[in-house]
Amino acid sequence: MSAESVSPNPGPTAVFAQALLQGHNRARDEAGVPRLAWSGTLARGAQAWADQLAREGFMRHASQAESGGAGENLWMGSAGHYAPESMIGVFVGEKRHYQPGAFPQVSRTGNWEDVGHYTQVVWRGTREVGCAIARNARNDFLVCRYWPSGNWMGERPY
């Protein structure tokens, strides 16, 4: 555990949550897939995990049991320096490496991890998202959870 203290939860407020949802849905509109709905249940699970990451001071994905089988995207950046659009923009920015195909053959680089956040954002079968953020003395930790999860081997993202 990090020696840094965790500050009170900075969000997501309704405005923050709306910005995160809009960022996801803009990318989905561009990909021609159905928009996502916000899930309070997913957001509550994401908040618990974001709080855990802020206490630990580093990023790691939740296990399938810890996430309840939901898909998960993580982001970390200097505390208080990034807007929600910038955070989601990191996930969506991976589109530059995306190539159509069946997962995991979806990256121009040959490494699916270079597009895995993007493909989860636009995964056709995903219907809901819930995100949360936690802060420690140095960083903000964003956790987004997706249901049903994406990035299934042998399936096309969209």
Side-chain angles (χ1 to χ4, degrees):
M1 182 162 158
S2 170
E4 300 168 338
S5 64
V6 177
S7 69
N9 176 7
T13 64
V15 171
F16 187 85
Q18 185 65 28
L20 293 170
L21 181 61
Q22 287 175 348
H24 279 83
N25 282 332
R26 267 192 299 277
R28 293 179 68 86
D29 289 347
E30 288 175 13
V33 296
R35 290 180 149 228
L36 297 176
W38 187 262
S39 166
T41 301
L42 289 173
R44 284 186 294 279
Q47 187 65 63
W49 192 246
D51 291 342
Q52 176 74 26
L53 297 179
R55 282 191 299 275
E56 294 174 354
F58 63 92
M59 288 200 317
R60 65 183 174 90
H61 280 287
S63 69
Q64 284 292 312
E66 290 166 322
S67 71
E72 184 177 77
N73 278 344
L74 305 177
W75 176 93
M76 180 181 79
S78 297
H81 286 89
Y82 295 91
E85 297 83 3
S86 297
M87 297 171 187
I88 296 304
V90 171
F91 302 155
V92 175
E94 293 178 357
K95 180 181 180 180
R96 70 186 178 278
H97 299 302
Y98 177 76
Q99 69 178 12
F103 197 86
Q105 306 303 319
V106 291
S107 176
R108 290 185 181 107
T109 69
N111 182 0
W112 71 266
E113 292 172 338
D114 292 338
V115 298
H117 298 99
Y118 171 71
T119 55
Q120 176 56 87
V121 167
V122 298
W123 197 265
R124 180 178 296 280
T126 298
R127 296 290 179 250
E128 298 178 323
V129 64
C131 302
I133 191 168
R135 178 176 293 166
N136 65 22
R138 298 176 84 175
N139 293 303
D140 287 333
F141 294 83
L142 175 71
V143 176
C144 289
R145 297 261 172 99
Y146 304 86
W147 190 261
S149 65
N151 293 347
W152 289 95
M153 297 296 174
E155 293 186 21
R156 297 178 74 83
Y158 59 89

